[in-house]
Amino acid sequence: MVSIVVIHSWYVFGSDKSKFDLALVTPFKFATIGFFLISGFLLGERVDRRSPVEYFVRRFRRVFVPWSFWFGIMCAGLVVYQLAGHGVGHSNLGELLWMAFTTSRSTLYDTAFWFVPNLLLCIAILLMCRRYLYSLKLGLVLLACNLAYVANLYALWFPTTHTRARLGFVFYLWLGSYAAHNFEKVSKVLARIPVAVFVATSLITGIASYWESHLLGALSGTDPLNTLRLSNQAFSISMVLLIFKFSRATWPRFIDVRRHTFGLYLTHSLVLQFFLHTFKYMRLGSSYAGEVEGVLLWLAVSVATYCCCLTVTIWLANRPSLQWMVGLTSLDAPSRPSVNVSGARGLSAFLVNNS
């Protein structure tokens, strides 16, 4: 979640995608695919305990309802902001409805809110294929869909943005569930591989990811940091495996990952919109892109956003009547990760509330 906040904070500054920008953002681009892998891992752990319909309805209620609440707040706030700029009295009903539609569409595809609808679609697809969920043939079909999006980054058959890649991430949801189903075998294999190998692999694939983003920028200039570029997919898998190898919790003890991650996701786009419009008013941000001042401002915004969202999430999580806003219920007892949390359980904790 830290990586997600850091990446989205960078876009506040209207980056021009220079080599410097790409080098700064690339190391954090593993988070999206990592979230799909972890969600699939949890799906594989739990889908056998319930019927597909029961499982999906439970996920829908716990994920889509709070998502809809924060998505509505985001859209309403942006509409009000636009009306304030154009003058409320000069907008008729038709213009207002069109403004609401375009704002909702851009919020869905141009902010982090794209993730939940895509995740629920991916879960629905796998649940419909539950009979073949652990079949390698299904994995190959989904991999082919994924590679079609990879090829499209160069062929430009359809829009390249990963936020519209509705079938691009199903493979990683399947891969996570397949790993959970074969967890003992996977664990034995990974246990024999030294951590240094994963560190080296992450460095190599990270460098490759940077160079591919530079290549995409030179060829088309449309989406050089696309999450689905092939080298970034390899980098993301390597980073997830590296985190898996850690035998201790990798987050501060005051953060309850099981309860706080989803709230951080839901609220950080709103906080970043506040910073974006504040900086526009103060004429800050884009003028610093690519400069030392811009990097310092980026880091400050990242820290401020994370702290603000964490504070709001903790406040909501501690109030039974408001817990639903961050995907919790009164039955979700607070928990603190043990220092001896294993890599698998630590990864699973990241998305237990929104998978």
Side-chain angles (χ1 to χ4, degrees), residues 11 70 73 86 96 139 174 196 201 225 228 237 244 260 272 295 324 327 337:
Y11 295 134
W70 292 103
I73 291 180
H86 293 87
L96 182 60
W174 172 86
T201 304
L225 285 171
L228 288 173
I237 294 174
F244 182 91
H260 298 157
L272 285 174
V295 175
W324 63 271

Side-chain angles (χ1 to χ4, degrees), residues 65-81 103-104 107 113 266-267 269-271 273 312 316 324-325:
V65 172
W67 177 89
S68 299
F69 173 76
W70 292 103
F71 179 76
I73 291 180
M74 180 81 158
C75 293
L78 291 174
V79 168
V80 170
Y81 177 82
T103 299
S104 299
T107 301
F113 282 105
L266 290 171
T267 56
S269 292
L270 281 82
V271 174
Q273 281 295 319
V312 171
L316 293 172
W324 63 271
M325 295 182 184

